[in-house]
Amino acid sequence: PENYDVWYESRFEECDREACLSFSKEALCSRVTVDHNYYAVCQNLLSQYATWRGTTGGLLHNPPAHIAKDGQLEALLDECTKPKKHYGRFQAAKELREYLTRLSAASSSAMASLFFYTIINLKIYFSHSFPVWKD
């Protein structure tokens, strides 16, 4: 197809519903490189824009102070969700993975804090969906 090798960027959409995600099947299926999965994860799971069963803020909202202090996590989540740069989501997703990997390698206690925090948030998110989940 025409423009098959031009990278496709999903457009950020602010909405007041949970799991907001719009896309063009034609655009996604006619391009070699698309950022749609990065967008879906950042927008609907990790970022401040994520909303699920009445809970807002995403799985990585309000991280422990020693992780949040330099602002890098927040900046990467923002760029991954609502890029300011052309193709910024591709780079932000790559850097977010690398950042979390470095955090894990540098400090097992810092990563354990973030991991525990994320697991707690996952339980909160999914406990609304799956009432069989017991503590």
Side-chain angles (χ1 to χ4, degrees):
E2 188 176 337
N3 295 322
Y4 75 95
D5 58 344
V6 176
W7 288 15
Y8 178 79
E9 291 182 287
S10 296
R11 189 181 60 154
F12 171 80
E13 291 185 30
E14 207 162 331
C15 75
D16 58 359
R17 301 179 320 267
E18 66 183 45
C20 294
L21 197 59
S22 63
F23 60 92
S24 161
K25 184 171 83 171
E26 293 77 29
L28 292 179
C29 295
S30 64
R31 304 291 177 93
V32 174
T33 305
V34 297
D35 71 351
H36 188 70
N37 288 342
Y38 296 144
Y39 173 61
V41 168
C42 288
Q43 163 105 4
N44 291 311
L45 287 177
L46 303 178
S47 79
Q48 64 179 323
Y49 301 100
T51 301
W52 186 259
R53 306 286 187 211
T55 304
T56 59
L59 297 177
L60 295 178
H61 75 288
N62 300 323
H66 62 281
I67 293 172
K69 68 181 174 186
D70 67 0
Q72 187 173 7
L73 179 60
E74 182 180 357
L76 291 171
L77 287 171
D78 286 347
E79 187 66 16
C80 189
T81 303
K82 192 175 182 179
K84 294 175 183 67
K85 301 176 207 160
H86 191 52
Y87 300 130
R89 185 174 291 121
F90 290 98
Q91 187 63 33
K94 177 181 182 283
E95 289 179 21
L96 183 58
R97 286 190 314 266
E98 291 170 353
Y99 174 78
L100 294 173
T101 299
R102 281 192 314 271
L103 186 61
S104 174
S107 170
S108 60
S109 65
M111 194 60 187
S113 296
L114 186 59
F115 178 74
F116 180 72
Y117 183 77
T118 302
I119 293 301
I120 294 299
N121 284 323
L122 272 171
K123 286 183 78 170
I124 291 168
Y125 275 38
F126 290 115
S127 66
H128 297 288
S129 301
F130 304 104
V132 295
W133 186 325
K134 304 286 185 198
D135 284 328

